[in-house]
């Protein structure tokens, strides 16, 4: 158990599950979720379109891709290489991965905005060196049914008899472990204080502000 004060969102201290490796550097957000699938009103259903153009040809026939392989179905820890999530800053990319089933991502490095969008969903992005990630990807490839343990607090990834020392961005670590990663939950938890500030602003009429329900 963590001894830190918890915020309004669920804490994310660890993730356990099977892994899925996606190899290659500079995999951008357009590969993760093609732009034509972003014309949706909600994010519901985006998971089936994750890596769509890498998974299917023009006739919708399956290509050779880990997300299509039966042995990786149900995996929730994605293992990637360098500069994952680069390109346009579309929040649909981590949304698609989350809705496919991904709960944590371990890689060599991440595009900063992509990592921030992952944090907004409570998805930790841990980094490690090239050799360690390659070894982890190969282990996942060889052991698709065996679980990994991603420890956000200790910044480690345990797999088989191995323990990988990883790094979690300091701000991300604090947000996940203390449960302050969900900005919507933070706003709701501080609704009264937000209203007080808004009412003090001369250009906002208090009658236009939403009423804050008391918990009493």
């Amino acid at each position: 158990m963590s001894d830190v004060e918890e915020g309004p969102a669920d804490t994310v201290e660890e993730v356990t599950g099977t892994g899925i490796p996606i190899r290659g550097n500079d995999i951008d957000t357009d590969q993760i979720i093609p732009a034509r699938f972003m014309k949706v009103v909600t994010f519901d259903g985006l998971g089936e379109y994750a890596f769509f153009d890498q998974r299917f040809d023009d006739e919708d026939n399956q290509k050779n891709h880990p997300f299509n392989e039966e042995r990786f179905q149900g995996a929730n820890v994605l293992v990637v290489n360098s500069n994952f999530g680069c390109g346009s800053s579309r929040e649909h990319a981590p949304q698609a991965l989350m809705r496919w089933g991904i709960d944590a991502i371990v890689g060599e490095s991440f595009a900063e905005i992509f990592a921030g969008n992952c944090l907004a969903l409570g998805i930790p992005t841990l980094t490690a060196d090239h050799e360690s990630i390659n070894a982890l990807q190969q282990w996942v490839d060889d052991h698709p049914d065996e679980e990994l343990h991603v420890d956000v607090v200790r910044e480690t990834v345990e797999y088989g008899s191995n323990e990988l020392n990883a790094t979690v961005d300091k701000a991300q670590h604090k947000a996940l472990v203390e449960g302050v990663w969900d900005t919507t939950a933070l706003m709701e938890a501080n609704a009264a204080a937000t209203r007080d500030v808004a009412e003090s602003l001369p250009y906002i009429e208090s009658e236009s502000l939403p009423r804050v329900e008391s918990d009493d």
Side-chain angles (χ1 to χ4, degrees):
M1 292 290 292
S2 172
D3 57 359
V4 299
E5 183 177 349
E6 294 185 1
D10 292 336
T11 60
V12 182
E13 299 184 356
E14 59 185 4
V15 174
T16 299
T18 58
I20 178 169
I22 298 294
R23 293 180 169 87
N25 298 325
D26 305 314
I27 294 177
D28 60 32
T29 53
D30 191 56
Q31 295 180 61
I32 299 172
I33 182 69
R36 65 185 181 279
F37 298 119
M38 295 169 57
K39 302 175 182 178
V40 292
V41 178
T42 71
F43 295 120
D44 295 340
L46 274 185
E48 64 181 295
Y49 303 117
F51 294 108
F52 192 88
D53 289 344
Q54 279 65 51
R55 295 168 56 199
F56 301 96
D57 62 21
D58 292 340
E59 283 74 43
D60 289 340
N61 298 308
Q62 285 193 2
K63 299 180 184 178
N64 182 22
H65 190 279
F67 270 47
N68 286 337
E69 295 188 42
E70 181 63 32
R71 64 194 182 119
F72 293 127
Q73 301 308 301
N76 66 330
V77 180
L78 182 62
V79 188
V80 300
N81 293 110
S82 176
N83 200 28
F84 187 80
C86 58
S88 65
S89 57
R90 60 188 66 168
E91 59 182 324
H92 296 68
Q95 285 279 357
L97 295 176
M98 180 184 73
R99 291 169 193 280
W100 190 86
I102 298 302
D103 296 321
I105 312 178
V106 184
E108 294 177 47
S109 63
F110 300 91
E112 184 177 356
I113 294 177
F114 174 83
N117 287 336
C118 285
L119 175 60
L121 299 175
I123 300 175
T125 51
L126 292 80
T127 59
D129 62 82
H130 176 74
E131 290 74 17
S132 296
I133 292 299
N134 277 354
L136 178 58
Q137 287 178 324
Q138 190 58 55
W139 184 88
V140 169
D141 221 347
D142 295 337
H143 305 84
D145 297 323
E146 295 192 30
E147 291 189 337
L148 302 77
H149 179 70
V150 178
D151 192 321
V152 177
V153 177
R154 295 179 55 239
E155 301 181 56
T156 60
V157 180
E158 298 175 13
Y159 64 100
S161 59
N162 307 291
E163 182 175 273
L164 182 159
N165 290 318
T167 300
V168 181
D169 175 80
K170 185 177 180 180
Q172 181 184 128
H173 186 280
K174 176 181 175 65
L176 292 170
V177 173
E178 296 184 11
V180 293
W181 53 268
D182 188 334
T183 55
T184 301
L186 282 172
M187 287 289 289
E188 291 177 347
N190 294 279
T194 302
R195 182 183 176 90
D196 289 344
V197 171
E199 288 179 339
S200 71
L201 300 175
Y203 49 84
I204 295 181
E205 296 181 3
S206 60
E207 292 78 8
S208 66
L209 297 172
R211 187 163 60 91
V212 179
E213 297 292 340
S214 173
D215 292 332
D216 297 336

